[in-house]
Amino acid sequence: MVTVHDVAARSGVSIATVSRTLRVPHRVSGDTRDRVLAAIEELGYRPNRAAASLRRGRTGVIAFVVPDIENPYFASLTKGAQAASRARGYGLVVVDTTESAEVESEEIRALRSQIDGIILVSSRLPDEQLLEVAEGAVSVLINRDLGDRSPATPSVAIDETAASDAAVAHLAGLGHRRLAYVGGPAHSWSQERRARGVRDAVAARPGLTLAELADVVPTAAGGRAVADAVLGGGVTAVLAYNDLVALGLLAEWGERGVRVPEDISLVGFDNTFVAELSSPLLTSVGTDLRDAGEAAVELLLQRVEATDSDAPAAYRTLRPELVVRASTAPVRTAD
Amino acid sequence: MVTVHDVAARSGVSIATVSRTLRVPHRVSGDTRDRVLAAIEELGYRPNRAAASLRRGRTGVIAFVVPDIENPYFASLTKGAQAASRARGYGLVVVDTTESAEVESEEIRALRSQIDGIILVSSRLPDEQLLEVAEGAVSVLINRDLGDRSPATPSVAIDETAASDAAVAHLAGLGHRRLAYVGGPAHSWSQERRARGVRDAVAARPGLTLAELADVVPTAAGGRAVADAVLGGGVTAVLAYNDLVALGLLAEWGERGVRVPEDISLVGFDNTFVAELSSPLLTSVGTDLRDAGEAAVELLLQRVEATDSDAPAAYRTLRPELVVRASTAPVRTAD
DNA sequence: TTGAAAGCGCTAACAC
DNA sequence: GTGTTAGCGCTTTCAA
């Protein structure tokens, strides 16, 4: 292992100067800097992070905690966060909590001392615990907020109201009047917002009616399970809690001879890459999740590196976009 | 921050005993242990990893390097690795190299000093560089090997020959005679093995013929792009490089009125979760990827913790399983 | 602009 | 079984 001592010896300076060359280059004369840098290059020196962390009290690592890395939604967020933290010179520890609040809680506890900050995505923790974490560490929330309980906690949110409205507007524009919303897990943060958004959007447009299904498991299997229940009542267009549920509906309907979009139109939420996997392609509304991941890292690092001055915007609300694909079409006029 | 000193003071022992209580509990009397543990609990003490790392020369962190975390294949591997490393008390740094050899190379270099070991998944590095990494650090390869160049490097591989054979056997059993294989990126490790496997399996069964497409982009879009080219020549069954390509074929065919499995049967490789997203469900052959991720972690940690004795099996070859779903059916007898 | 030196929190000899 | 002590490699006063 190459240490500051090796570099110092090689370049004829003290170890302090080696350290300065890397940390505060402007405090080193151009000449010395060049020699030190040359020695570093020649020896392949890399500062030992553990030592630097111990001394500085900062690790250069941030944690990104997701419920399920296999879920395309979280995978995309992670991808964005990864890129952003790399660009800023930080390491990123990705933690998959397997949808368990206990695992999440335990992992956070174990992590706390060895990271500079933590990004909690769709946290499964109850408010009190989440509050504790948020106050106890530099943190950013994605898809969750503490509202009045902790207005100081930065968060990245997607404007679900706008998303719901865009989806409903699209369907209404195609002539659909009887809509159905297949909702996700009751009490989930996104579900509450999406359901409300859809309801409001429907209410705002005279002539529309809405049927609602609640508490559907937010996976393709969940969608399949309720594929039957959604049909009927003259519904001509369905909004699904997420793309996975939409794909489940699509698949099951396909097997039962219900055609999309000829017989029924379908819109998913999130616009994840799976929306481009199906036939027909799925119309979906969502934001660029990589951007969201990046935004969270930016917000977090602003905090982490805030020594003084900075008084950054603590919230970031991302606008979703509706991407129209083949799963939606004008309502069939009565034959 | 609570340190060993605080715990020592609180429990009336020296800092060495506090450390021992955690690291080598059997070298501490039961009585003392209880008192120390109580103090740790009361104070909420957590050892500072940076300090421990610096002192021990081990960080308790391993790296898991994947080309693309959004790819379901890698996501599942990651999930398994995550679970295994958590269970063993290690942290896991997940690195997404965005399919770039340069990024991979640079990240590995940056990481090297601060991890105990590294798992390289489907590395994009050329042999020489990979060799350098493998020899320079405790490492395990997934989906890649150095063969004679570095027979000592542990690796986890999926038996692609068995996978190909199972797929071909399945189709042959259904009466298909004219098969096509839609290959992935030329020179890719998996592609070479799968292509050879398919060829051998076909050759071993008199009466079968094989058409091959090469160098298809291994995504749904790639599959779509060649959906047309595959058809014709009397082909009644297609094997696709991976599930994503298969889904692309499926979607594009669907839009052109080619029905699966009525008109043509389709088998994917990998058996990722997307195989359950389509309609019809995709028949696919693959191993449990979470198991593979876990296996890699086990192999790696055996090495990391090998102080003496251990002379572990350095290779792990996983057997794939063919999961028959609705995308394959008996060949239609001439109408 | 540079160097000397202290010490971050912990572990592992070593001594008792 | 327990305590004392010497650093791990680095950053950062403080003095020159």
Side-chain angles (χ1 to χ4, degrees):
Chain A
M1 154 167 273
V2 184
T3 76
V4 273
H5 291 97
D6 302 316
V7 177
R10 174 91 171 205
S11 50
V13 299
S14 73
I15 61 168
T17 298
V18 174
S19 181
R20 272 191 216 104
T21 304
L22 259 13
R23 298 286 168 194
V24 279
H26 60 279
R27 288 212 186 300
V28 172
S29 78
D31 199 48
T32 316
R33 187 162 55 230
D34 291 346
R35 263 184 308 136
V36 173
L37 256 16
I40 287 176
E41 173 72 19
E42 286 160 24
L43 299 173
Y45 168 73
R46 294 264 171 178
N48 180 319
R49 281 234 201 189
S53 301
L54 180 57
R55 183 59 235 250
R56 310 219 295 164
R58 295 241 234 102
T59 60
V61 174
I62 59 182
F64 196 76
V65 181
V66 298
D68 174 17
I69 192 64
E70 277 184 312
N71 184 323
Y73 185 88
F74 300 124
S76 293
L77 283 170
T78 303
K79 184 131 188 152
Q82 174 91 82
S85 60
R86 190 206 331 287
R88 301 281 303 258
Y90 279 74
L92 189 78
V93 176
V94 178
V95 178
D96 179 332
T97 65
T98 67
E99 300 278 5
S100 150
E102 293 90 68
V103 171
E104 182 176 349
S105 171
E106 181 45 44
E107 285 285 303
I108 291 171
R109 205 160 329 186
L111 244 32
R112 183 169 309 188
S113 77
Q114 41 228 349
I115 55 176
D116 294 342
I118 187 166
I119 297 172
L120 263 25
V121 184
S122 300
S123 174
R124 280 11 180 181
L125 296 180
D127 270 9
E128 295 87 55
Q129 271 194 67
L130 184 57
L131 185 64
E132 205 185 305
V133 173
E135 312 263 86
V138 182
S139 53
V140 167
L141 267 26
I142 299 185
N143 271 350
R144 185 83 189 264
D145 72 25
L146 257 3
D148 296 338
R149 308 258 257 144
S150 178
T153 303
S155 67
V156 173
I158 287 127
D159 187 340
E160 303 288 0
T161 305
S164 301
D165 196 75
V168 171
H170 170 63
L171 294 171
L174 291 171
H176 294 278
R177 292 293 168 263
R178 294 184 169 290
L179 313 184
Y181 171 63
V182 177
H187 313 305
S188 113
W189 206 82
S190 301
Q191 155 60 10
E192 283 178 0
R193 276 154 189 74
R194 289 173 186 181
R196 179 190 322 280
V198 170
R199 272 179 228 132
D200 290 351
V202 166
R205 294 179 173 76
L208 297 196
T209 67
L210 180 70
E212 262 189 81
L213 241 62
D215 224 357
V216 171
V217 180
T219 62
R224 282 177 172 276
V226 298
D228 240 8
V230 189
L231 269 16
V235 165
T236 65
V238 173
L239 298 101
Y241 172 68
N242 67 15
D243 291 338
L244 258 12
V245 169
L247 257 35
L249 292 169
L250 196 59
E252 192 72 20
W253 286 341
E255 281 155 34
R256 305 187 180 202
V258 178
R259 293 163 309 158
V260 174
E262 292 83 354
D263 299 327
I264 195 163
S265 280
L266 179 62
V267 177
F269 274 88
D270 294 342
N271 193 29
T272 53
F273 72 83
V274 299
E276 305 195 73
L277 254 30
S278 58
S279 170
L281 261 33
L282 182 66
T283 293
S284 187
V285 59
T287 200
D288 186 311
L289 294 169
R290 296 191 193 179
D291 285 352
E294 283 180 26
V297 169
E298 301 299 343
L299 239 41
L300 186 72
L301 292 186
Q302 265 175 27
R303 288 285 174 117
V304 167
E305 294 174 352
T307 36
D308 40 280
S309 52
D310 314 13
Y315 302 93
R316 201 57 189 285
T317 302
L318 271 22
R319 310 230 93 223
E321 195 186 346
L322 176 80
V323 179
V324 177
R325 301 203 185 83
S327 71
T328 47
V331 66
R332 278 206 310 188
T333 43
D335 1 338
Chain B
M1 154 165 271
V2 185
T3 75
V4 273
H5 291 97
D6 301 316
V7 177
R10 174 90 171 204
S11 50
V13 300
S14 73
I15 59 166
T17 298
V18 174
S19 182
R20 271 189 217 107
T21 304
L22 259 13
R23 298 286 169 192
V24 280
H26 60 277
R27 288 213 186 301
V28 172
S29 79
D31 200 46
T32 314
R33 187 163 55 230
D34 291 345
R35 262 184 310 137
V36 173
L37 257 16
I40 287 176
E41 172 74 18
E42 287 161 24
L43 299 172
Y45 168 73
R46 292 266 169 175
N48 179 319
R49 281 234 202 189
S53 301
L54 180 56
R55 183 61 237 250
R56 309 218 296 164
R58 297 241 235 101
T59 60
V61 174
I62 59 182
F64 196 76
V65 181
V66 296
D68 174 17
I69 192 65
E70 277 183 313
N71 184 322
Y73 186 88
F74 300 124
S76 293
L77 282 170
T78 303
K79 185 132 187 150
Q82 173 91 79
S85 59
R86 191 208 327 290
R88 301 280 302 258
Y90 279 75
L92 189 77
V93 176
V94 178
V95 178
D96 179 330
T97 65
T98 67
E99 300 278 4
S100 149
E102 293 89 68
V103 173
E104 182 175 348
S105 172
E106 182 44 44
E107 284 286 302
I108 291 171
R109 207 161 328 186
L111 241 33
R112 186 169 309 188
S113 78
Q114 42 227 351
I115 54 174
D116 294 343
I118 187 167
I119 297 172
L120 263 26
V121 184
S122 301
S123 175
R124 279 12 180 181
L125 296 180
D127 270 9
E128 295 88 53
Q129 272 194 67
L130 184 58
L131 186 64
E132 205 184 306
V133 173
E135 312 261 86
V138 182
S139 54
V140 167
L141 267 26
I142 299 185
N143 272 350
R144 185 85 188 263
D145 71 26
L146 258 4
D148 296 340
R149 309 257 256 145
S150 178
T153 303
S155 68
V156 173
I158 287 128
D159 188 341
E160 302 289 359
T161 305
S164 301
D165 196 76
V168 171
H170 170 62
L171 293 171
L174 292 172
H176 294 279
R177 292 292 168 263
R178 294 183 170 290
L179 313 185
Y181 171 64
V182 177
H187 313 305
S188 113
W189 204 82
S190 300
Q191 156 61 10
E192 284 177 358
R193 275 156 188 75
R194 286 172 187 183
R196 180 193 319 282
V198 171
R199 273 179 226 130
D200 291 352
V202 166
R205 294 179 173 77
L208 297 196
T209 66
L210 181 69
E212 262 189 81
L213 241 61
D215 225 357
V216 171
V217 180
T219 62
R224 282 176 172 277
V226 298
D228 241 9
V230 189
L231 268 15
V235 165
T236 64
V238 173
L239 299 101
Y241 173 68
N242 68 15
D243 292 337
L244 258 13
V245 169
L247 256 37
L249 292 169
L250 196 58
E252 192 71 21
W253 286 342
E255 282 156 35
R256 305 188 180 202
V258 178
R259 293 163 307 158
V260 175
E262 293 82 354
D263 299 327
I264 195 164
S265 280
L266 179 61
V267 177
F269 274 88
D270 294 340
N271 194 29
T272 52
F273 72 83
V274 298
E276 305 196 74
L277 254 30
S278 59
S279 170
L281 263 33
L282 183 66
T283 293
S284 186
V285 58
T287 200
D288 186 310
L289 293 169
R290 296 192 193 178
D291 285 353
E294 284 181 25
V297 170
E298 302 298 343
L299 239 42
L300 185 73
L301 292 186
Q302 264 175 27
R303 287 284 175 120
V304 167
E305 293 175 352
T307 36
D308 40 281
S309 51
D310 312 13
Y315 303 93
R316 202 55 191 285
T317 301
L318 268 23
R319 312 230 90 224
E321 195 185 347
L322 176 80
V323 179
V324 178
R325 301 203 184 84
S327 72
T328 47
V331 65
R332 276 208 309 188
T333 42
D335 3 339

